[in-house]
Amino acid sequence: MTSHPSQKFFERFLELIETERKAERDENMRELQRFPLETRLAMGKTVTGLELVSVDEGVGGMSLLKFVRPSKGEELSPFHSMGPGDLVMVTFPAGFDPKTSEATIYKVEDNGVTASVHGPGPSRLGLGCQIDLIGSEATYKQMKKALVALLDAKKSRLAALRDISLDKKEPKRLGSRHPLTFFNEGLNEYQRDAVRSCLLAEDMALVHGPPGTGKTTVLVEVIRQAVASGARVLATAPSNVAVDNMLEKLLPSGLRCVRLGHPARTLESLRDANLAHQVEADPANDEVRELDILRERLARRGSRFGRGQMGYGERQERERELRRMWRKARDLEFDLSLRIMAGAHVVLGTHAGIPRKLVEGGFDLVVLDEASQATEPLSWVPLGLARKAVFAGDSMQLPPTIYSQEAAKGGLSVTLFERLKGLLPSNMQTLLRVQYRMHETIMGFSSQEFYGGKLIAHESVRAHLAAELPGVAAGPFTAAPLHFIDTAGAGYEESWNELLESRENPGEAKLAAMVAEGLLAGGLEPRQVGVLTPYVAQARLLKGLLRAPGLEIGSVDGFQGREKEAVVVSLVRSNSDAEVGFLADTRRMNVAITRGRRLLILIGDSATLSQHPFYSRFIDYVDDKGVHRSSYEF
């Protein structure tokens, strides 16, 4: 029997995500094996010498374990690479049971960290604990389930969405709709067109959002309009940061929002909207708390014959009672969670973070933000929960991170957003054109290269400069929006960092650090400045050279969706063979050059870069603007 074409297409994804799962697992294992303990300690991916100082009860049946490590004079916090929501493995010293436990980072301090574990924590405290960053396979399981459901779907909304995505079914559009009264009266004409297009689509619609054009603002308006018409909405994104961005914009509207996921993965300022916190704050949760207190007392109570003298039958009876009390408390929590979810206008979470057991009846609409950063199998996880979908993204920015080259070449690197871009008719797609972030000179090259010159700088940002910020002096950098510092001939050669398996350029790093320090000396606050580079080894060098608290230093990939008043970019590549490596993926450059609002300073070797057509055109652009400078000036 011959498989249906749709089956072949999605069966292939089952194979690809298994290949990708193994590649990610292997990469994590190689990292653990490749890096000596002292390197992992320096990178912040392992922390030793910890003391477990407290075990407190958290929300949702979790325990909060607080670890501290006395300062050893580090210039960086030992936890500098860990953040709330990271998955870790905790290793306890001899005498603890269990010996290891998976946990989620809840809070990070300079020399302390709080991690949450499901169920009760250790019954004792002590020194000698270790924490290692680890990965999780939960997302892969979710993707497999979604693909199986997709393959099995017949005569359902999921089947219809699947067939549209395969160009086997025509997407429908409503003939007309009564004139809209926009909640956000500040939307520009392109944003309004996007909202109308999304509301008129019966199946799917796309919002193309170049940097700074307010695609999330459009999604929020679509959500508010949908709720006003009686719809129940699911809002998802591949990252917790993007989900929190939607939540932050939705909360002032007064809609009842429920944020799913571990509380540690929600910004602290937004945690009141998290389901676990809403459950904890509900008066009906008093019974759960009472059961947990009684269970804890029973667990600690000794036998009437004295410690260690409890008989077998008595122990068995106590264990049964403990399990009964724990299950009753969790059942009550679950029922309360269902009630809170049922009363929500909008449910938010990451694509893979929507527990189906909590979703009764599904949703009328799902909006997928940052849709160009999710693999196709991941996008189908939330799509299986709603009748209609609205996607917002930008295929001209970075795609999802893929560990396996084999999986990428097999099609995993092509997102559903990108495929639909070529399938849906023009009246179901909108390009946002007015951007509210960048000076028009910073915007210009990106607009020219990626968006057909269609972007328009809003008047509020068109000519703004760093020198206009309070306390910032007008200087050679701050009085102009764009600068390219050319290191050609300076002898700043790149090198290969064997340990990190990444490129670095020490000379260029020192120059970038000097430029950043100059911006701070000129009055810019550290929180207003970002120092970016495509290479993790270069980021590590920069972190060792720049010590200003609040100054963000990181990879270009990790800064997508972010912005700063001023951005310094170190491009690293400088070699006699004119090789640009993965800088050849020009989408990475598009992200790099669109993070700065008022000031963008790029540092690179024109002799190497100009051999690539894209970078040659960029150098022509900075020449035309008169902002091409030599490193010999510094």
Side-chain angles (χ1 to χ4, degrees), residues 177-184 195 199 219-233 250 253-256 344-346 364-365:
R177 185 185 176 97
H178 58 80
L180 281 179
T181 300
F182 290 94
F183 290 101
N184 184 348
V195 173
L199 296 176
L219 289 185
V220 168
E221 181 69 24
V222 170
I223 291 169
R224 295 182 70 181
Q225 294 287 346
V227 170
S229 67
R232 188 168 183 239
V233 181
L250 278 168
S253 70
L255 296 181
R256 292 191 299 276
H345 293 125
V346 189
D364 301 293
L365 170 68

Side-chain angles (χ1 to χ4, degrees), residues 437-558:
R437 176 186 299 165
M438 296 163 278
H439 188 289
E440 63 179 351
T441 301
I442 298 175
M443 175 200 76
F445 184 71
S446 177
S447 176
Q448 168 186 306
E449 286 291 317
F450 297 99
Y451 308 105
K454 294 179 179 178
L455 297 192
I456 303 163
H458 189 263
E459 61 181 13
S460 63
V461 301
R462 184 177 297 134
H464 66 177
L465 297 168
E468 296 170 354
L469 291 168
V472 177
F477 284 131
T478 59
L482 176 65
H483 304 270
F484 175 62
I485 302 176
D486 195 344
T487 65
Y492 295 164
E493 293 291 315
E494 68 181 68
S495 57
W496 178 251
N497 186 311
E498 292 284 351
L499 190 60
L500 297 179
E501 294 186 348
S502 177
R503 303 278 173 185
E504 61 188 12
N505 189 322
E508 189 174 293
K510 291 177 182 176
L511 177 57
M514 183 180 71
V515 169
E517 287 170 345
L519 296 179
L520 299 179
L524 280 160
E525 298 177 20
R527 63 178 178 81
Q528 296 174 315
V529 180
V531 182
L532 309 181
T533 177
Y535 294 94
V536 294
Q538 187 77 344
R540 175 102 182 115
L541 282 180
L542 289 164
K543 287 177 180 177
L545 293 169
L546 289 162
R547 305 293 186 186
L551 176 69
E552 286 195 64
I553 303 167
S555 69
V556 173
D557 296 37

Side-chain angles (χ1 to χ4, degrees), residues 144-165:
K144 286 181 180 179
K145 287 180 181 178
L147 289 171
V148 170
L150 200 59
L151 286 164
D152 293 341
K154 294 179 178 67
K155 297 181 180 180
S156 64
R157 285 304 298 162
L158 179 59
L161 296 177
R162 176 196 64 201
D163 291 345
I164 290 169
S165 81

Side-chain angles (χ1 to χ4, degrees), residues 58-62 118-119 276 279-280 285 292 330 333:
V59 297
M62 296 180 292
H118 286 286
V279 168
E280 181 73 11
N285 196 52
D292 284 335
R330 304 292 76 79
E333 274 185 336

Side-chain angles (χ1 to χ4, degrees), residues 439-453 455 482 586 589-590 593-594 600 613-622 625:
H439 188 289
E440 63 179 351
T441 301
I442 298 175
M443 175 200 76
F445 184 71
S446 177
S447 176
Q448 168 186 306
E449 286 291 317
F450 297 99
Y451 308 105
L455 297 192
L482 176 65
T586 56
M589 188 65 167
N590 189 29
I593 64 178
T594 55
L600 172 66
F614 173 88
Y615 293 96
S616 177
R617 292 192 295 273
F618 174 73
I619 292 168
D620 288 343
Y621 181 81
V622 296
K625 298 297 181 184

Side-chain angles (χ1 to χ4, degrees), residues 284-296:
N285 196 52
D286 290 347
E287 186 178 354
V288 175
R289 279 192 288 270
E290 290 172 5
L291 279 167
D292 284 335
I293 291 170
L294 289 173
R295 180 171 52 83
E296 185 178 350

Side-chain angles (χ1 to χ4, degrees), residues 2-306:
T2 304
S3 296
H4 195 280
S6 65
Q7 287 184 308
K8 289 182 179 180
F9 185 83
F10 292 110
E11 283 170 358
R12 179 190 60 171
F13 277 131
L14 284 170
E15 297 172 0
L16 294 178
I17 61 175
E18 180 60 21
T19 301
E20 174 69 1
R21 183 191 68 81
K22 291 177 180 177
E24 183 176 2
R25 181 195 62 196
D26 291 346
E27 174 60 28
N28 287 335
M29 291 304 297
R30 278 196 301 271
E31 187 175 285
L32 282 169
Q33 295 166 2
R34 182 171 75 240
F35 295 164
L37 180 62
E38 56 269 23
T39 300
R40 287 185 59 83
L41 289 169
M43 295 170 67
K45 294 192 173 185
T46 294
V47 185
T48 60
L50 296 168
E51 180 181 4
L52 177 60
V53 296
S54 67
V55 178
D56 298 315
E57 188 176 325
V59 297
M62 296 180 292
S63 295
L64 298 178
L65 283 56
K66 183 172 184 180
F67 300 89
V68 299
R69 192 178 80 158
S71 174
K72 297 180 180 180
E74 300 99 338
E75 292 181 341
L76 289 173
S77 159
F79 303 101
H80 63 82
S81 287
M82 297 183 188
D86 284 342
L87 297 173
V88 297
M89 178 67 73
V90 180
T91 303
F92 298 102
F96 275 69
D97 185 26
K99 179 68 176 175
T100 62
S101 180
E102 287 193 14
T104 303
I105 297 293
Y106 192 83
K107 183 180 181 182
V108 176
E109 301 169 285
D110 285 344
N111 283 287
V113 66
T114 300
S116 66
V117 296
H118 286 286
S123 58
R124 55 179 292 190
L125 308 177
L127 284 164
C129 303
Q130 178 172 317
I131 289 180
D132 291 278
L133 279 173
I134 62 173
S136 170
E137 297 190 352
T139 298
Y140 292 102
K141 292 178 181 177
Q142 287 276 55
M143 287 191 287
K144 286 181 180 179
K145 287 180 181 178
L147 289 171
V148 170
L150 200 59
L151 286 164
D152 293 341
K154 294 179 178 67
K155 297 181 180 180
S156 64
R157 285 304 298 162
L158 179 59
L161 296 177
R162 176 196 64 201
D163 291 345
I164 290 169
S165 81
L166 294 170
D167 202 21
K168 294 172 61 179
K169 182 180 175 69
E170 289 290 329
K172 295 179 181 179
R173 191 171 189 264
L174 295 171
S176 62
R177 185 185 176 97
H178 58 80
L180 281 179
T181 300
F182 290 94
F183 290 101
N184 184 348
E185 296 179 353
L187 295 178
N188 64 55
E189 61 177 303
Y190 302 103
Q191 291 174 322
R192 290 177 181 237
D193 286 345
V195 173
R196 293 188 189 99
S197 175
C198 291
L199 296 176
L200 287 171
E202 288 193 32
D203 303 296
M204 294 179 174
L206 301 187
V207 178
H208 300 277
T213 55
K215 61 180 174 53
T216 305
T217 299
V218 169
L219 289 185
V220 168
E221 181 69 24
V222 170
I223 291 169
R224 295 182 70 181
Q225 294 287 346
V227 170
S229 67
R232 188 168 183 239
V233 181
L234 173 64
T236 72
S239 72
N240 284 290
V241 171
V243 174
D244 283 346
N245 190 28
M246 283 192 285
L247 176 60
E248 192 168 33
K249 287 179 166 64
L250 278 168
L251 285 177
S253 70
L255 296 181
R256 292 191 299 276
C257 299
V258 175
R259 168 69 156 98
L260 299 178
H262 196 290
R265 296 188 179 98
T266 304
L267 285 174
E268 191 166 354
S269 60
L270 303 174
R271 284 183 185 167
D272 284 348
N274 188 278
L275 177 61
H277 278 257
Q278 291 191 41
V279 168
E280 181 73 11
D282 196 291
N285 196 52
D286 290 347
E287 186 178 354
V288 175
R289 279 192 288 270
E290 290 172 5
L291 279 167
D292 284 335
I293 291 170
L294 289 173
R295 180 171 52 83
E296 185 178 350
R297 287 175 182 170
L298 179 60
R300 294 179 178 178
R301 193 171 66 204
S303 164
R304 57 190 171 90
F305 298 109

